[in-house]
Amino acid sequence: MKGQIIRVISNLYTVKVNEDLYGCRARGKFRKDNISPIVGDNVIVDIENNVIEEILPRKNFLDRPVIANVDMAFIVTSTKKPNLDLNLLDKLISVITFNDIEPVICFTKTDLLNEVEIETINNLRKYYEMIGIKVVYNTETSTIKKLIKGKIVVLAGQTGAGKSSLLNRLDDKLHIKTDEISEALGRGKHTTRHVELYMISEGYVADTPGFSALDLKDMEKEDLKNTFIEFSNYECKFRDCIHKKEKECGIKTALNNKLILQSRYNNYLLFLEELEK
């Protein structure tokens, strides 16, 4: 029977086949082939023996969080407690875009902001929407439900940003555990210990363990450039321009004319340096 893995805890895989759930183990051949079934995988299962026999081809996958066949990724981004982290936001956008997944920014905790801070967030929202990235506030539940309908969606973002709280807001029957922010560390405590798909608004949404670090492995410089989608709007004299020290760089001209967000360009240079190392 064909099914889909919706939860993984230790070596037990919960597979949904039609409307039924089966707790399955993976065949030993996967370990021998150095392959592990992951949440989102479409699989062939032996439901009599509760064994995953085959992993069907993936259209994409992420390894942090570990999930496959994703249509859309909500980058849940705290504006306060923990404070806004534009470096992590832009890095997630790059990694998600590189993996052919649509990024959506979801700003949380805007109720904690003063008027100046709210204006900053509103300006950020306008910029990201202008370059073609969907942006929502976590309070816009009806809009979010429309976006996730019929899709496999992953929630990603720093610990304590409000991923589990967002799921509880979308479906109050879930009762997913949340926790307070550590005042000493300025970040949240891990409350999600595994990846699991929840059916919400005729789509699947994954709650995932929070994280605060991410690398750009598997990317080349050209790949990184392509994930900064606004760069494609400007021409440089040299086709292989990496927008760093080259003369007649269209990106730096656009930056000087305030057409590109300074934080975006700064983060691009940091990511470029990371790749060069």
Side-chain angles (χ1 to χ4, degrees), residues 4-42:
Q4 186 170 48
I5 298 173
I6 65 166
R7 180 173 59 233
V8 178
I9 300 179
S10 189
N11 293 319
L12 184 65
Y13 303 88
T14 302
V15 181
K16 184 175 183 182
V17 178
N18 299 322
E19 297 304 313
D20 298 319
L21 300 179
Y22 298 87
C24 299
R25 302 286 179 183
R27 288 195 60 181
K29 70 173 185 177
F30 297 127
R31 194 181 305 111
K32 186 172 135 183
D33 295 338
N34 202 25
I35 299 172
S36 296
I38 61 177
V39 167
D41 271 337
N42 295 307

Short mmCIF file of all heavy atoms in Angstrom, two decimals, residues 4-42:
data_model
loop_
_atom_site.label_atom_id
_atom_site.label_comp_id
_atom_site.label_asym_id
_atom_site.label_seq_id
_atom_site.Cartn_x
_atom_site.Cartn_y
_atom_site.Cartn_z
N GLN A 4 2.09 7.88 3.41
CA GLN A 4 3.01 9.00 3.63
C GLN A 4 3.38 9.05 5.11
O GLN A 4 2.52 8.91 5.98
CB GLN A 4 2.37 10.32 3.21
CG GLN A 4 3.31 11.52 3.30
CD GLN A 4 2.72 12.75 2.65
OE1 GLN A 4 1.57 13.10 2.90
NE2 GLN A 4 3.49 13.42 1.81
N ILE A 5 4.66 9.25 5.36
CA ILE A 5 5.14 9.36 6.74
C ILE A 5 4.75 10.72 7.30
O ILE A 5 5.10 11.76 6.75
CB ILE A 5 6.67 9.18 6.82
CG1 ILE A 5 7.07 7.79 6.32
CG2 ILE A 5 7.16 9.37 8.26
CD1 ILE A 5 8.57 7.57 6.21
N ILE A 6 4.00 10.71 8.42
CA ILE A 6 3.59 11.99 9.01
C ILE A 6 4.27 12.26 10.35
O ILE A 6 4.18 13.37 10.87
CB ILE A 6 2.05 12.06 9.18
CG1 ILE A 6 1.56 11.01 10.18
CG2 ILE A 6 1.34 11.90 7.84
CD1 ILE A 6 0.13 11.25 10.65
N ARG A 7 4.96 11.26 10.91
CA ARG A 7 5.66 11.48 12.17
C ARG A 7 6.79 10.48 12.31
O ARG A 7 6.66 9.32 11.91
CB ARG A 7 4.69 11.34 13.36
CG ARG A 7 5.35 11.56 14.73
CD ARG A 7 4.30 11.59 15.85
NE ARG A 7 3.53 10.36 15.90
CZ ARG A 7 2.19 10.30 15.88
NH1 ARG A 7 1.48 11.40 15.75
NH2 ARG A 7 1.56 9.13 15.94
N VAL A 8 7.91 10.94 12.86
CA VAL A 8 9.02 10.04 13.17
C VAL A 8 9.45 10.31 14.60
O VAL A 8 9.79 11.43 14.96
CB VAL A 8 10.23 10.27 12.22
CG1 VAL A 8 11.38 9.36 12.62
CG2 VAL A 8 9.84 10.04 10.77
N ILE A 9 9.41 9.27 15.43
CA ILE A 9 9.95 9.35 16.79
C ILE A 9 10.86 8.15 16.98
O ILE A 9 10.42 7.01 16.90
CB ILE A 9 8.83 9.35 17.85
CG1 ILE A 9 7.90 10.55 17.65
CG2 ILE A 9 9.43 9.38 19.25
CD1 ILE A 9 6.75 10.61 18.64
N SER A 10 12.15 8.46 17.19
CA SER A 10 13.18 7.42 17.28
C SER A 10 13.14 6.60 15.99
O SER A 10 13.26 7.14 14.90
CB SER A 10 12.94 6.56 18.52
OG SER A 10 14.04 5.70 18.73
N ASN A 11 12.93 5.29 16.09
CA ASN A 11 12.90 4.46 14.88
C ASN A 11 11.49 4.01 14.52
O ASN A 11 11.31 3.05 13.76
CB ASN A 11 13.79 3.21 15.08
CG ASN A 11 15.25 3.59 15.17
OD1 ASN A 11 15.73 4.45 14.44
ND2 ASN A 11 15.97 2.97 16.10
N LEU A 12 10.49 4.71 15.06
CA LEU A 12 9.10 4.37 14.76
C LEU A 12 8.52 5.42 13.83
O LEU A 12 8.56 6.62 14.11
CB LEU A 12 8.28 4.29 16.04
CG LEU A 12 6.82 3.86 15.87
CD1 LEU A 12 6.74 2.42 15.36
CD2 LEU A 12 6.04 4.00 17.18
N TYR A 13 7.98 4.95 12.71
CA TYR A 13 7.45 5.84 11.68
C TYR A 13 5.93 5.69 11.63
O TYR A 13 5.42 4.58 11.47
CB TYR A 13 8.03 5.47 10.30
CG TYR A 13 9.54 5.51 10.28
CD1 TYR A 13 10.29 4.39 10.64
CD2 TYR A 13 10.21 6.66 9.90
CE1 TYR A 13 11.68 4.43 10.62
CE2 TYR A 13 11.60 6.71 9.88
CZ TYR A 13 12.33 5.59 10.24
OH TYR A 13 13.70 5.64 10.23
N THR A 14 5.23 6.80 11.80
CA THR A 14 3.77 6.78 11.66
C THR A 14 3.44 7.08 10.20
O THR A 14 3.78 8.15 9.68
CB THR A 14 3.11 7.83 12.58
OG1 THR A 14 3.47 7.56 13.93
CG2 THR A 14 1.60 7.77 12.44
N VAL A 15 2.78 6.11 9.56
CA VAL A 15 2.48 6.23 8.14
C VAL A 15 0.97 6.32 7.97
O VAL A 15 0.21 5.50 8.51
CB VAL A 15 3.01 5.01 7.35
CG1 VAL A 15 2.70 5.15 5.86
CG2 VAL A 15 4.52 4.85 7.55
N LYS A 16 0.52 7.33 7.20
CA LYS A 16 -0.90 7.47 6.91
C LYS A 16 -1.19 6.80 5.57
O LYS A 16 -0.61 7.17 4.55
CB LYS A 16 -1.31 8.94 6.87
CG LYS A 16 -2.80 9.12 6.68
CD LYS A 16 -3.21 10.58 6.77
CE LYS A 16 -4.73 10.71 6.63
NZ LYS A 16 -5.18 12.11 6.67
N VAL A 17 -2.06 5.82 5.60
CA VAL A 17 -2.50 5.13 4.38
C VAL A 17 -4.00 5.37 4.27
O VAL A 17 -4.78 4.90 5.11
CB VAL A 17 -2.20 3.62 4.44
CG1 VAL A 17 -2.70 2.92 3.18
CG2 VAL A 17 -0.71 3.36 4.64
N ASN A 18 -4.39 6.12 3.25
CA ASN A 18 -5.77 6.59 3.14
C ASN A 18 -6.10 7.37 4.43
O ASN A 18 -5.46 8.35 4.72
CB ASN A 18 -6.72 5.43 2.86
CG ASN A 18 -6.40 4.75 1.54
OD1 ASN A 18 -6.04 5.41 0.56
ND2 ASN A 18 -6.50 3.43 1.50
N GLU A 19 -7.05 6.89 5.23
CA GLU A 19 -7.38 7.60 6.47
C GLU A 19 -6.88 6.87 7.71
O GLU A 19 -7.15 7.30 8.84
CB GLU A 19 -8.91 7.79 6.57
CG GLU A 19 -9.51 8.65 5.47
CD GLU A 19 -8.86 10.03 5.38
OE1 GLU A 19 -8.70 10.68 6.43
OE2 GLU A 19 -8.51 10.45 4.26
N ASP A 20 -6.11 5.80 7.51
CA ASP A 20 -5.64 5.00 8.63
C ASP A 20 -4.16 5.29 8.93
O ASP A 20 -3.38 5.60 8.03
CB ASP A 20 -5.82 3.51 8.34
CG ASP A 20 -7.29 3.13 8.15
OD1 ASP A 20 -8.11 3.64 8.92
OD2 ASP A 20 -7.59 2.35 7.23
N LEU A 21 -3.80 5.14 10.22
CA LEU A 21 -2.42 5.35 10.65
C LEU A 21 -1.80 4.04 11.08
O LEU A 21 -2.44 3.22 11.77
CB LEU A 21 -2.37 6.35 11.82
CG LEU A 21 -2.92 7.75 11.55
CD1 LEU A 21 -2.82 8.60 12.81
CD2 LEU A 21 -2.17 8.42 10.40
N TYR A 22 -0.55 3.82 10.70
CA TYR A 22 0.18 2.61 11.04
C TYR A 22 1.54 2.98 11.64
O TYR A 22 2.25 3.84 11.09
CB TYR A 22 0.41 1.72 9.81
CG TYR A 22 -0.87 1.22 9.17
CD1 TYR A 22 -1.52 1.99 8.21
CD2 TYR A 22 -1.42 0.00 9.53
CE1 TYR A 22 -2.71 1.54 7.62
CE2 TYR A 22 -2.60 -0.46 8.95
CZ TYR A 22 -3.24 0.32 8.00
OH TYR A 22 -4.41 -0.13 7.42
N GLY A 23 1.87 2.36 12.76
CA GLY A 23 3.21 2.51 13.34
C GLY A 23 4.13 1.50 12.69
O GLY A 23 3.94 0.28 12.86
N CYS A 24 5.12 1.97 11.94
CA CYS A 24 5.95 1.06 11.13
C CYS A 24 7.43 1.17 11.48
O CYS A 24 7.90 2.19 11.99
CB CYS A 24 5.79 1.38 9.65
SG CYS A 24 4.11 1.17 9.02
N ARG A 25 8.13 0.09 11.19
CA ARG A 25 9.60 0.08 11.23
C ARG A 25 10.11 0.09 9.79
O ARG A 25 9.40 -0.31 8.86
CB ARG A 25 10.12 -1.18 11.95
CG ARG A 25 9.62 -1.32 13.38
CD ARG A 25 10.29 -0.35 14.30
NE ARG A 25 9.80 -0.47 15.68
CZ ARG A 25 10.20 0.30 16.67
NH1 ARG A 25 11.10 1.26 16.44
NH2 ARG A 25 9.71 0.16 17.88
N ALA A 26 11.34 0.54 9.61
CA ALA A 26 11.94 0.55 8.28
C ALA A 26 12.71 -0.73 8.05
O ALA A 26 13.32 -1.28 8.98
CB ALA A 26 12.86 1.76 8.13
N ARG A 27 12.71 -1.21 6.83
CA ARG A 27 13.50 -2.40 6.49
C ARG A 27 14.98 -2.13 6.68
O ARG A 27 15.46 -1.01 6.48
CB ARG A 27 13.24 -2.82 5.05
CG ARG A 27 11.87 -3.44 4.83
CD ARG A 27 11.78 -4.15 3.52
NE ARG A 27 12.76 -5.24 3.43
CZ ARG A 27 12.90 -6.03 2.36
NH1 ARG A 27 12.14 -5.84 1.31
NH2 ARG A 27 13.78 -6.99 2.36
N GLY A 28 15.70 -3.16 7.04
CA GLY A 28 17.13 -3.02 7.29
C GLY A 28 17.92 -2.57 6.07
O GLY A 28 19.00 -2.00 6.20
N LYS A 29 17.37 -2.79 4.87
CA LYS A 29 18.10 -2.45 3.65
C LYS A 29 18.35 -0.94 3.56
O LYS A 29 19.31 -0.50 2.94
CB LYS A 29 17.35 -2.92 2.41
CG LYS A 29 16.06 -2.16 2.12
CD LYS A 29 15.46 -2.57 0.76
CE LYS A 29 14.25 -1.72 0.42
NZ LYS A 29 13.70 -2.04 -0.91
N PHE A 30 17.48 -0.14 4.18
CA PHE A 30 17.68 1.31 4.11
C PHE A 30 18.96 1.72 4.84
O PHE A 30 19.72 2.56 4.39
CB PHE A 30 16.48 2.06 4.71
CG PHE A 30 15.19 1.82 3.97
CD1 PHE A 30 14.06 1.38 4.64
CD2 PHE A 30 15.11 2.03 2.61
CE1 PHE A 30 12.87 1.16 3.96
CE2 PHE A 30 13.93 1.82 1.91
CZ PHE A 30 12.81 1.37 2.59
N ARG A 31 19.19 1.09 6.01
CA ARG A 31 20.41 1.37 6.77
C ARG A 31 21.63 0.94 5.97
O ARG A 31 22.64 1.65 5.92
CB ARG A 31 20.37 0.64 8.11
CG ARG A 31 21.42 1.11 9.11
CD ARG A 31 21.35 0.36 10.42
NE ARG A 31 20.02 0.41 11.03
CZ ARG A 31 19.21 -0.62 11.13
NH1 ARG A 31 19.57 -1.80 10.63
NH2 ARG A 31 18.04 -0.52 11.69
N LYS A 32 21.52 -0.19 5.32
CA LYS A 32 22.63 -0.69 4.51
C LYS A 32 22.92 0.23 3.33
O LYS A 32 24.07 0.46 2.95
CB LYS A 32 22.27 -2.09 3.98
CG LYS A 32 23.39 -2.79 3.24
CD LYS A 32 22.98 -4.22 2.95
CE LYS A 32 23.32 -4.56 1.52
NZ LYS A 32 22.87 -5.92 1.17
N ASP A 33 21.86 0.82 2.75
CA ASP A 33 22.02 1.75 1.63
C ASP A 33 22.26 3.18 2.08
O ASP A 33 22.32 4.10 1.26
CB ASP A 33 20.76 1.71 0.74
CG ASP A 33 20.58 0.35 0.06
OD1 ASP A 33 21.59 -0.38 -0.06
OD2 ASP A 33 19.45 0.03 -0.32
N ASN A 34 22.37 3.37 3.42
CA ASN A 34 22.61 4.69 4.00
C ASN A 34 21.49 5.68 3.66
O ASN A 34 21.73 6.84 3.34
CB ASN A 34 23.96 5.25 3.55
CG ASN A 34 24.48 6.32 4.50
OD1 ASN A 34 24.12 6.34 5.68
ND2 ASN A 34 25.29 7.23 4.00
N ILE A 35 20.25 5.17 3.73
CA ILE A 35 19.06 6.00 3.48
C ILE A 35 18.14 5.90 4.70
O ILE A 35 17.96 4.81 5.24
CB ILE A 35 18.29 5.50 2.24
CG1 ILE A 35 19.17 5.57 0.99
CG2 ILE A 35 17.02 6.31 2.01
CD1 ILE A 35 18.55 4.92 -0.23
N SER A 36 17.60 7.01 5.11
CA SER A 36 16.65 7.00 6.23
C SER A 36 15.32 7.58 5.77
O SER A 36 15.29 8.65 5.17
CB SER A 36 17.19 7.85 7.39
OG SER A 36 18.36 7.30 7.92
N PRO A 37 14.22 6.88 6.04
CA PRO A 37 12.91 7.48 5.77
C PRO A 37 12.72 8.72 6.63
O PRO A 37 13.18 8.76 7.79
CB PRO A 37 11.92 6.37 6.18
CG PRO A 37 12.74 5.12 6.24
CD PRO A 37 14.12 5.54 6.63
N ILE A 38 12.07 9.75 6.10
CA ILE A 38 11.85 10.97 6.85
C ILE A 38 10.41 11.44 6.69
O ILE A 38 9.69 10.97 5.80
CB ILE A 38 12.83 12.09 6.42
CG1 ILE A 38 12.66 12.45 4.94
CG2 ILE A 38 14.27 11.71 6.72
CD1 ILE A 38 13.55 13.59 4.47
N VAL A 39 10.00 12.35 7.55
CA VAL A 39 8.64 12.90 7.48
C VAL A 39 8.42 13.53 6.10
O VAL A 39 9.28 14.22 5.57
CB VAL A 39 8.43 13.95 8.59
CG1 VAL A 39 7.17 14.76 8.33
CG2 VAL A 39 8.33 13.28 9.94
N GLY A 40 7.25 13.25 5.53
CA GLY A 40 6.92 13.75 4.19
C GLY A 40 7.19 12.75 3.10
O GLY A 40 6.69 12.91 1.97
N ASP A 41 7.98 11.71 3.39
CA ASP A 41 8.26 10.69 2.37
C ASP A 41 6.99 9.95 1.98
O ASP A 41 6.19 9.54 2.84
CB ASP A 41 9.27 9.67 2.90
CG ASP A 41 10.71 10.07 2.63
OD1 ASP A 41 10.95 10.86 1.70
OD2 ASP A 41 11.61 9.57 3.35
N ASN A 42 6.82 9.75 0.68
CA ASN A 42 5.81 8.82 0.17
C ASN A 42 6.47 7.45 0.13
O ASN A 42 7.58 7.30 -0.39
CB ASN A 42 5.35 9.25 -1.22
CG ASN A 42 4.62 10.59 -1.18
OD1 ASN A 42 3.68 10.77 -0.43
ND2 ASN A 42 5.08 11.54 -2.00
#
